[in-house]
Amino acid sequence: MKRNIFITFLSFIILMTSCEDFLMKIPHTKLSDKNFYRNADEINAAVTGCYNALLAVKNSKEHTLNEVRSDNAVFPNTDNINVTSLAFYPSVLITEPTNDYVELYWASSYHLISRVNRVISNLNVVASENQKWQYEAEIRFLRAWAYFNLVRYYGDVPLITEVLNNGKEAREIARTPVSEVYDAIIVDLSTADSLFAELDTNYKKEYGRINKWAVKTLLGKVYLTLGRNDEAKPLIEDVYKNSGYKLTQNYGDLFVESLETTKGAEEIIFPIRFTSGGLGMGNYFSTDCANIYQNTFGNSLIYFSNSLRDAYINTSSTTLDKRYKINCSEVTTGHVVSGFNYPVRYLAKMVGLESNGAGGYKSVKLTIKNDGGLDFPELRFAEVALIYAELFGEEVGLPVLNDIRNRAGAPVLTSADIDTKFDGNFQEAVLNEARLELAGENKRFFDLLRMGNQYAVNILTDLLNTEDVYSSLYYIQAYNLAQEVLRNGKVDEWRLLLPIPFNDIMRSDVLEQNPGYTR
């Protein structure tokens, strides 16, 4: 986890910077009521602390909870099972309450929420109404974002919107029903939207900082997830038509370091920012996604699946579509076991890209483990365009899909293609395009869920019934585990939710486990 830096250092950095430098990448720190929250400058520093808490959330091996549990990624062909067992079991939808990654995501999310709650409770020290509105809007977004992810991963979760004074209070907080958590998410985002509307008209977009377009995008996604499409439409349409964000010219430019200084920044609505160089602010996912056999500091935890590869083959092109080699990178040498050469797969874009000198891109060479400099593109305009296309249907949406495909060099989709490749179902065409476009960005599992549990069960059952998950050195072990998961002929719905972490249940007086899990 991130190393703590003394509070005096953070205070000095914040107080020496201007408002425009708010989102310089500052290390994590501990904030307390005794030495903080006394004036606007310290609230400014505390808000930055909320942003910095995002790093721990994104560094909590989320790929193993999302991409690996979807049909996009599988357990890799690696013999290093002692290191990668925590990723191996989720690839066959076995996620135990004792899984470190399950607990890490939960804990880092609630740490972010705790920081937000404390800042909100102290905003009265900010004299400027505009400044106060801006801070509140930003951190309400962050709290809503955290809960939106928690509720989709874990189901009912404790809803905490006030500062807890002691451990006894925490132990007595039970899980809140999903519907009530969503109500709170909508309140936070609607409040943030209203606060941004009250700000001066000269409020400017700033790379890395939450603005009204990020709020509208996330609120639109929440409504889409809930099936409240009529409420999602005006929000997403506003972002699509009026935000000023757009598809950047080159897909690879979205995944280079120092993104804020490149063309790719014009597409990124909400990045989670990282800095390499041994400062304790680098990302972990670059290491997780990197090829262990050709990149010294790679872990090879995330391999793209045959299913994802086939989606490109069947609905796009592995030669024309520039996204293919960036999302489905593969080398045929490097991992030899018993004379057999296992191909090595990885998501190059999540390692970070640089020019290969021939008009294309290659993954960067990591120099320090868990110290990637790539910002995570949490919300970007291409996703907004995909949602816009889905909400407004084929007549409006098909040209939008083709804008995305044109950027990638992929063949144009026609109405005839919708009929032949997607059985006339335009929504399926959009979901497929989202898969090709957003692979590796922790969207796919959520897309499966929002289409309904039965939809997700069918997709994942088909996956476990193929050779896809058995292509590792641990064929027999993977096969036996998958057969156990499929003992009723299909994946059980309860496996779609993560378990509540075992340690949190043990520390609590009232927390109960999700159905299906034994501890």
Side-chain angles (χ1 to χ4, degrees):
M1 300 300 295
K2 297 295 177 189
R3 295 186 293 272
N4 290 320
I5 306 298
F6 289 118
I7 185 64
T8 50
F9 176 74
L10 175 63
S11 301
F12 175 78
I13 293 292
I14 291 290
L15 295 175
M16 292 296 290
T17 56
S18 67
C19 182
E20 286 74 18
D21 293 327
F22 175 89
L23 284 176
M24 65 181 298
K25 301 176 184 181
I26 299 170
H28 288 253
T29 183
K30 292 180 178 179
L31 306 178
S32 70
D33 288 336
K34 293 181 180 179
N35 59 5
F36 241 69
Y37 311 111
R38 296 169 301 189
N39 52 54
D41 287 329
E42 291 181 351
I43 291 294
N44 182 50
V47 170
T48 301
C50 294
Y51 276 94
N52 282 334
L54 292 168
L55 276 65
V57 178
K58 197 51 64 177
N59 277 340
S60 62
K61 310 289 185 179
E62 186 183 5
H63 280 88
T64 65
L65 308 180
N66 195 303
E67 295 288 350
V68 168
R69 292 170 66 229
S70 79
D71 53 348
N72 269 3
V74 295
F75 180 73
N77 294 331
T78 175
D79 48 358
N80 196 7
I81 193 168
N82 290 328
V83 174
T84 57
S85 60
L86 292 173
F88 174 41
Y89 287 96
S91 73
V92 287
L93 296 177
I94 297 175
T95 333
E96 294 294 337
T98 53
N99 186 302
D100 289 350
Y101 301 162
V102 170
E103 181 172 10
L104 193 59
Y105 191 89
W106 172 281
S108 59
S109 296
Y110 275 106
H111 178 64
L112 166 60
I113 290 165
S114 175
R115 285 190 173 190
V116 169
N117 291 344
R118 195 164 292 278
V119 176
I120 287 178
S121 71
N122 286 280
L123 280 173
N124 61 329
V125 303
V126 181
S128 165
E129 281 194 331
N130 275 0
Q131 196 173 22
K132 184 188 301 182
W133 289 339
Q134 178 181 316
Y135 292 157
E136 183 175 355
E138 291 176 272
I139 59 179
R140 279 184 178 272
F141 171 97
L142 295 179
R143 184 168 69 183
W145 174 83
Y147 273 120
F148 185 39
N149 292 331
L150 283 169
V151 78
R152 290 182 293 172
Y153 279 133
Y154 299 92
D156 299 347
V157 294
L159 180 63
I160 306 170
T161 57
E162 296 180 353
V163 175
L164 300 181
N165 296 313
N166 53 60
K168 184 177 185 297
E169 286 186 3
R171 290 195 302 272
E172 294 174 350
I173 296 177
R175 298 173 66 183
T176 303
V178 166
S179 60
E180 294 180 29
V181 178
Y182 270 112
D183 288 344
I185 292 168
I186 291 170
V187 166
D188 267 348
L189 292 174
S190 298
T191 301
D193 192 31
S194 298
L195 288 168
F196 274 123
E198 293 292 334
L199 290 172
D200 289 342
T201 56
N202 63 355
Y203 177 76
K204 297 178 181 179
K205 291 187 300 187
E206 184 178 347
Y207 178 82
R209 189 168 194 160
I210 303 304
N211 58 45
K212 68 178 183 179
W213 303 114
V215 171
K216 289 177 185 292
T217 299
L218 189 60
L219 184 54
K221 287 187 63 175
V222 170
Y223 284 136
L224 178 74
T225 299
L226 294 172
R228 294 162 61 172
N229 290 1
D230 288 344
E231 293 165 280
K233 277 185 175 181
L235 292 162
I236 296 299
E237 184 175 28
D238 193 13
V239 180
Y240 181 75
K241 293 184 175 179
N242 302 315
S243 67
Y245 291 103
K246 60 183 179 180
L247 297 177
T248 197
Q249 184 176 358
N250 297 310
Y251 183 72
D253 286 347
L254 295 165
F255 309 103
V256 298
E257 294 187 13
S258 303
L259 183 59
E260 70 272 23
T261 63
T262 70
K263 289 285 288 182
E266 64 192 359
E267 183 170 332
I268 307 299
I269 298 172
F270 171 39
I272 297 176
R273 304 189 67 187
F274 293 91
T275 301
S276 59
L279 303 173
M281 297 184 295
N283 72 56
Y284 292 9
F285 53 80
S286 291
T287 293
D288 292 340
C289 293
N291 167 10
I292 193 172
Y293 303 104
Q294 292 191 332
N295 199 323
T296 307
F297 295 100
N299 277 346
S300 282
L301 276 186
I302 317 297
Y303 269 33
F304 69 84
S305 65
N306 292 336
S307 177
L308 178 59
R309 177 204 61 199
D310 292 346
Y312 282 99
I313 292 172
N314 297 331
T315 65
S316 187
S317 167
T318 58
T319 55
L320 298 176
D321 195 329
K322 298 173 185 176
R323 299 171 299 188
Y324 177 71
K325 289 185 178 179
I326 289 175
N327 292 334
C328 296
S329 302
E330 185 168 12
V331 293
T332 57
T333 59
H335 185 202
V336 179
V337 178
S338 300
F340 184 80
N341 192 4
Y342 285 88
V344 178
R345 298 174 168 184
Y346 61 104
L347 297 163
K349 75 180 188 184
M350 300 316 302
V351 182
L353 300 179
E354 60 186 3
S355 173
N356 65 4
Y361 299 86
K362 62 180 179 180
S363 57
V364 300
K365 192 74 172 178
L366 302 176
T367 57
I368 304 175
K369 198 176 189 71
N370 294 331
D371 191 46
L374 175 66
D375 294 345
F376 195 93
E378 186 65 24
L379 295 176
R380 58 185 178 93
F381 185 77
E383 185 180 9
V384 171
L386 288 160
I387 296 172
Y388 177 77
E390 180 176 343
L391 288 170
F392 286 88
E394 182 174 345
E395 184 176 351
V396 172
L398 186 55
V400 176
L401 289 194
N402 281 324
D403 285 342
I404 295 171
R405 291 172 72 89
N406 286 337
R407 190 258 297 270
V412 170
L413 274 182
T414 66
S415 293
D417 292 325
I418 304 299
D419 291 336
T420 58
K421 296 180 179 180
F422 304 102
D423 295 326
N425 187 333
F426 182 68
Q427 186 179 40
E428 281 294 329
V430 176
L431 290 171
N432 179 75
E433 200 61 40
R435 191 181 186 194
L436 306 184
E437 175 71 21
L438 305 172
E441 298 176 44
N442 293 329
K443 311 292 184 183
R444 178 62 176 173
F445 194 79
F446 290 149
D447 270 348
L448 298 182
L449 291 182
R450 74 177 177 84
M451 296 300 292
N453 282 358
Q454 194 56 55
Y455 182 96
V457 162
N458 290 341
I459 293 287
L460 297 174
T461 297
D462 287 345
L463 183 75
L464 293 189
N465 273 316
T466 69
E467 293 292 312
D468 219 353
V469 295
Y470 313 138
S471 59
S472 75
L473 298 177
Y474 293 89
Y475 175 93
I476 298 299
Q477 188 174 0
Y479 177 82
N480 290 338
L481 289 171
Q483 293 309 301
E484 178 64 21
V485 170
L486 296 173
R487 61 184 172 178
N488 296 320
K490 63 179 182 180
V491 172
D492 293 319
E493 286 189 23
W494 61 264
R495 294 187 185 276
L496 299 178
L497 289 179
L498 292 172
I500 305 303
F502 173 75
N503 287 333
D504 286 83
I505 287 181
M506 294 300 293
R507 285 190 289 261
S508 171
D509 296 333
V510 293
L511 276 186
E512 296 180 354
Q513 186 55 271
N514 274 326
Y517 296 99
T518 57
R519 289 177 287 183

